[in-house]
Amino acid sequence: MLTEQEIINNALKEMLFNEDLTSQKYADIAQQITNPELQNLLKGMEMASRNNYKSISQKMSEKSIT
């Protein structure tokens, strides 16, 4: 049985993985489309996902989660 801390650690790691994957998907789609308005929207969504990644990563560092 996992401890509460292990559950939290695993959840943060999964969140980090998902944010990385999401930002990559947004970047890939933005490169494939030609509509500038949609490209800008996707680039903004990519940036938001990268900011989320950074925030999660900082929290993990603060709690010494690797």
Side-chain angles (χ1 to χ4, degrees), residues 17-62:
F17 174 79
N18 287 331
E19 288 299 339
D20 186 42
L21 189 62
T22 300
S23 64
Q24 289 176 18
K25 285 182 182 180
Y26 290 146
D28 291 343
I29 295 169
Q31 289 179 348
Q32 294 173 20
I33 62 174
T34 56
N35 182 315
E37 190 174 320
L38 289 177
Q39 281 180 326
N40 287 337
L41 175 65
L42 286 164
K43 287 178 183 178
M45 293 168 68
E46 176 193 357
M47 180 69 75
S49 187
R50 291 196 186 279
N51 287 339
N52 290 343
Y53 181 97
K54 184 178 176 182
S55 295
I56 295 166
S57 184
Q58 286 175 341
K59 289 292 181 192
M60 289 174 70
S61 291
E62 290 171 8

Side-chain angles (χ1 to χ4, degrees), residues 5-6 8-13 16 56-66:
Q5 189 60 47
E6 290 171 324
I8 292 168
N9 292 357
N10 290 341
L12 288 170
K13 289 176 187 178
L16 197 65
I56 295 166
S57 184
Q58 286 175 341
K59 289 292 181 192
M60 289 174 70
S61 291
E62 290 171 8
K63 297 185 180 295
S64 300
I65 300 170
T66 56

